Amino acid sequence: MFSQLISAHIPTALRPGLQLANSWQFGQFHKKLLNAPQQQQDWLMRRIRGCRETGFGRDHGFAEIRTLEDFRRQVPVSEYAYFAPYIDAVAAGRTEALVPAHEKLQRFTITTGSSGTPKLNPVTNVWLKELKQAWAIWGMKYFADHPTHIGDKVLQMAGIWEMGKTSGGYSISMVSALLARVQNPLLRPFYAVPSDLNDIKDPEVRYYTALRLTITERIGWILLMNPGTLIRLAEIGDQYKEDLIRDLRDGTLSERFDIPRSLRALLARRTERPNALAAQQLEAIVNQTGRLLPRDYWNKPVISCWLGGTAGYQSRYLHEYFGDSPLRDMGLVSSEGRHTIPIEDTEPRGVPSLTSGFYEYVPVEEAGKPHPDVVEGHELIEGQDYYLLMTTSAGYYRFSIGDIVRCRGFVGKAPLLEFIQKGTRVGDLEGEKLTEHQIIEAAHDTAADLGIELGLFTAVARRLEHQHPRYDFLVEVDSLPDAGLAQRFLQLLDEKLEGKNFLWRARRREGVLANPNLIRLPSGRWEQYIAEEVERRGTGDFQYKHPGLVLDGSWVDQFTPVDIIPLKSN
């Protein structure tokens, strides 16, 4: 392994200390899991008492709330629009609308906004403290479970730190950038790339620069939320392998990439020293394998990214690029906080973050009702799906962010939760109730059966004049380069969807849903689309989630296909 030629581990004597600290910390958290209902209600009542004099608290009678039943009676289940007037007031400087007098508003984070309209989230000192506690529980166990990598470098890239100001003068950041800034100072020497690297807007340039800095490092940990980003990082390294080898041999940072001069000067200490031995080792890898992939220059780093939900399906291809690296789910994380804490490798599930919020659950069949049934975590039924409601120290109460989670069991009295999808992404052209999760699962199952790696994939629900409605499936031609293979993929995908959704089967056989089409896009079109979306939203590409299902049929009009392959009728 090339990475074994590089710097040595931190003294192994430190490993037992970390594991001992984790044993104590997670032991304390595990006790809370055993008594989760009481822990949750205690947290809620403390929060209610502390926020009685806020504008929201007065408007909703917090002074009269004594029980969970009182809370549910006084505060409705709501989406972001309900809180927007209060958040706007805070952003303008009237912090008392949501923030109690004994707390301090520090700044705002911003969502990536699937609607294209980013939303602000207040960051108070209490919310930030609780967020750091939740990440510490997750992170300590993540590191302690893999002691052989302790002392290795951490590859982590974050979002944008300074995204503007509110009308009241408060700074706005991506939550990942905020976390990077408030990390434990003891960990900073182990981070492989400087935070300034995150300011490079072009992802291709950013990934190349990150690899130029890290390809000769002993990388033991990789933390990037989106597995697709990790695959793209590996592909960039392979695509520009000659440049990387030349830069290492000559002690340069290629001028073909548009890197700000100020950043080049900052990185010069790490890039200006020639390393002929490293270049020789990389050349040997290329000569032997024909490619330059992380599986050959890094030693099975522990990867944390999304493993669940529609974005997580790309993680099944990581081993092709990174070898047998252990995988740990990042958990359900949003700009509003860390909501679940995964506690084991491979499985896309975690327990609720009991120390940083109060969580309730609405069975999916209750969604949309004026007075839906709402249950606590210990009342969930294994295998059933629920909408997640959160109450946090950022000023949200019974906030539905539209996420559907599935109960996968219990730890003590706390449920193990797997993120499934956004609840709004359900196709209903003719009553088929086809979910984004079903589509992406079927597409990747189809790819696995055919022995191919499926890149980004999107279904579009379309209503066309004088035609039966249908679904179009979009994929780059690189994934399905042969028209015959593409036709087999489409046929098998249709069969997979029939097996996952009996309404899809019924509507297709009734003829009210027309045969789907497979639209093959030119190579690189998804990357272009992502760049356009990132520019439109202005929130960076780090947490970009590719849509598995689009309900606006006109969305497909922005693409010029290589060809359109219809499903042949049997």
Side-chain angles (χ1 to χ4, degrees):
M1 239 347 144
F2 173 68
S3 60
Q4 291 174 335
L5 300 175
I6 318 171
S7 60
H9 279 298
I10 198 168
T12 56
L14 294 182
R15 296 175 188 166
L18 178 64
Q19 291 177 303
L20 182 63
N22 172 68
S23 178
W24 180 86
Q25 178 179 262
F26 190 77
Q28 296 298 111
F29 181 65
H30 190 263
K31 290 179 181 178
K32 292 181 171 63
L33 299 177
L34 298 177
N35 191 27
Q38 191 62 51
Q39 292 289 333
Q40 283 277 270
Q41 291 198 31
D42 288 348
W43 185 97
L44 176 64
M45 290 303 125
R46 285 196 302 271
R47 191 66 201 164
I48 293 297
R49 289 193 298 270
C51 295
R52 287 178 296 186
E53 298 305 316
T54 63
F56 191 96
R58 290 193 299 271
D59 291 346
H60 294 81
F62 278 15
E64 286 75 48
I65 294 177
R66 298 290 184 274
T67 65
L68 176 58
E69 289 70 27
D70 294 340
F71 174 63
R72 288 174 170 171
R73 187 166 49 250
Q74 297 289 98
V75 181
V77 173
S78 303
E79 298 181 358
Y80 185 87
Y82 189 81
F83 303 96
Y86 297 94
I87 293 174
D88 290 345
V90 175
R94 300 189 298 277
T95 59
E96 67 279 4
L98 284 174
V99 183
H102 59 276
E103 295 181 12
K104 181 181 179 181
L105 177 70
Q106 298 186 342
R107 60 174 49 236
F108 285 81
T109 60
I110 193 169
T111 70
T112 51
S114 59
S115 65
T117 305
K119 303 176 180 65
L120 293 175
N121 304 283
V123 175
T124 69
N125 60 318
V126 172
W127 178 87
L128 185 57
K129 178 182 178 181
E130 292 174 341
L131 180 71
K132 290 169 65 176
Q133 287 175 340
W135 274 97
I137 294 168
W138 177 87
M140 183 77 79
K141 196 169 193 306
Y142 170 66
F143 287 114
D145 284 351
H146 302 280
T148 59
H149 280 297
I150 294 172
D152 289 352
K153 290 295 183 70
V154 179
L155 175 56
Q156 180 180 27
M157 289 184 281
I160 302 169
W161 174 242
E162 287 293 348
M163 298 195 66
K165 301 279 188 181
T166 70
S167 59
Y170 293 99
S171 294
I172 305 171
S173 302
M174 296 292 290
V175 70
S176 57
L178 174 65
L179 287 166
R181 294 292 179 118
V182 299
Q183 63 187 324
N184 189 323
L186 296 176
L187 294 177
R188 287 175 186 165
F190 296 100
Y191 279 79
V193 297
S195 60
D196 304 77
L197 190 72
N198 301 318
D199 294 331
I200 299 177
K201 291 186 177 181
D202 187 330
E204 188 170 283
V205 177
R206 190 186 322 122
Y207 300 157
Y208 179 88
T209 307
L211 285 171
R212 173 65 181 89
L213 297 176
T214 63
I215 200 167
T216 60
E217 295 280 1
R218 194 178 187 109
I219 300 298
W221 316 89
I222 300 178
L223 290 85
L224 287 172
M225 290 186 179
N226 198 321
T229 299
L230 278 167
I231 291 173
R232 187 64 184 135
L233 176 76
E235 290 174 338
I236 291 294
D238 186 42
Q239 179 181 348
Y240 294 106
K241 51 184 172 286
E242 294 179 0
D243 298 84
L244 280 168
I245 292 170
R246 186 183 307 112
D247 276 345
L248 281 169
R249 184 177 58 245
D250 299 342
T252 55
L253 179 55
S254 178
E255 290 290 340
R256 73 182 295 174
F257 299 103
D258 185 14
I259 301 170
R261 289 293 163 189
S262 57
L263 182 56
R264 284 183 178 273
L266 179 68
L267 301 178
R269 182 177 59 84
R270 296 179 58 179
T271 60
E272 288 185 345
R273 183 178 300 174
N275 192 337
L277 177 60
Q280 182 180 355
Q281 292 290 332
L282 292 179
E283 281 184 327
I285 291 172
V286 175
N287 291 335
Q288 181 179 356
T289 68
R291 304 191 70 182
L292 186 62
L293 297 176
R295 68 191 183 199
D296 296 312
Y297 53 77
W298 288 334
N299 185 24
K300 301 178 183 177
V302 186
I303 294 174
S304 177
C305 63
W306 287 316
L307 302 181
T310 52
Y313 273 94
Q314 291 292 100
S315 67
R316 66 174 61 189
Y317 304 120
L318 287 175
H319 70 278
E320 299 178 21
Y321 298 88
F322 292 86
D324 296 328
S325 285
L327 302 180
R328 177 69 59 94
D329 187 32
M330 184 70 75
L332 181 48
V333 181
S334 71
S335 296
E336 294 84 10
R338 168 174 273 286
H339 312 302
T340 66
I341 299 176
I343 56 178
E344 58 185 331
D345 286 349
T346 306
E347 299 296 336
R349 60 193 187 191
V351 294
S353 180
L354 302 181
T355 61
S356 56
F358 176 75
Y359 296 99
E360 300 171 273
Y361 309 85
V362 177
V364 290
E365 62 271 16
E366 292 287 316
K369 293 183 179 180
H371 303 288
D373 289 337
V374 180
V375 296
E376 295 179 76
H378 66 285
E379 299 174 306
L380 302 189
I381 299 173
E382 188 170 353
Q384 298 298 305
D385 292 349
Y386 302 85
Y387 280 90
L388 179 69
L389 310 181
M390 65 179 69
T391 297
T392 76
S393 295
Y396 296 109
Y397 302 88
R398 312 196 78 198
F399 174 32
S400 175
I401 60 175
D403 287 349
I404 294 178
V405 296
R406 182 170 296 163
C407 178
R408 289 298 194 185
F410 293 85
V411 177
K413 293 187 177 181
L416 278 166
L417 304 173
E418 176 186 356
F419 171 71
I420 299 300
Q421 68 170 67
K422 282 289 182 184
T424 54
R425 294 180 182 170
V426 179
D428 195 19
L429 293 172
E430 293 290 340
E432 68 278 8
K433 307 296 184 186
L434 185 66
T435 70
E436 181 184 48
H437 185 265
Q438 289 171 338
I439 292 168
I440 297 302
E441 185 176 53
H444 284 277
D445 286 351
T446 299
D449 286 355
L450 294 176
I452 62 175
E453 178 182 330
L454 184 66
L456 297 178
F457 180 92
T458 300
V460 185
R462 306 196 69 188
R463 290 189 182 277
L464 303 171
E465 288 190 29
H466 310 300
Q467 299 181 44
H468 288 302
R470 69 166 189 263
Y471 285 80
D472 286 342
F473 302 122
L474 281 66
V475 63
E476 282 190 359
V477 70
D478 288 356
S479 293
L480 297 166
D482 176 77
L485 177 63
Q487 179 62 233
R488 291 199 299 276
F489 177 90
L490 183 57
Q491 182 70 50
L492 185 55
L493 173 59
D494 184 49
E495 295 172 6
K496 295 283 187 184
L497 288 172
E498 284 191 359
K500 295 180 184 296
N501 185 311
F502 75 94
L503 291 172
W504 169 270
R505 179 174 65 249
R507 300 299 178 264
R508 292 272 291 104
R509 293 181 179 179
E510 291 166 4
V512 295
L513 273 181
N515 285 359
N517 288 335
L518 182 69
I519 299 177
R520 293 196 295 176
L521 302 179
S523 176
R525 186 59 182 94
W526 284 136
E527 186 175 355
Q528 180 186 347
Y529 170 76
I530 293 170
E532 292 166 353
E533 277 295 285
V534 167
E535 181 67 23
R536 182 177 69 85
R537 300 182 191 185
T539 51
D541 62 301
F542 293 94
Q543 297 180 21
Y544 171 81
K545 298 176 183 176
H546 192 76
L549 172 62
V550 174
L551 302 179
D552 178 5
S554 65
W555 180 85
V556 76
D557 295 338
Q558 64 188 298
F559 300 99
T560 302
V562 172
D563 57 18
I564 300 175
I565 297 176
L567 178 68
K568 295 179 180 178
S569 300
N570 294 328

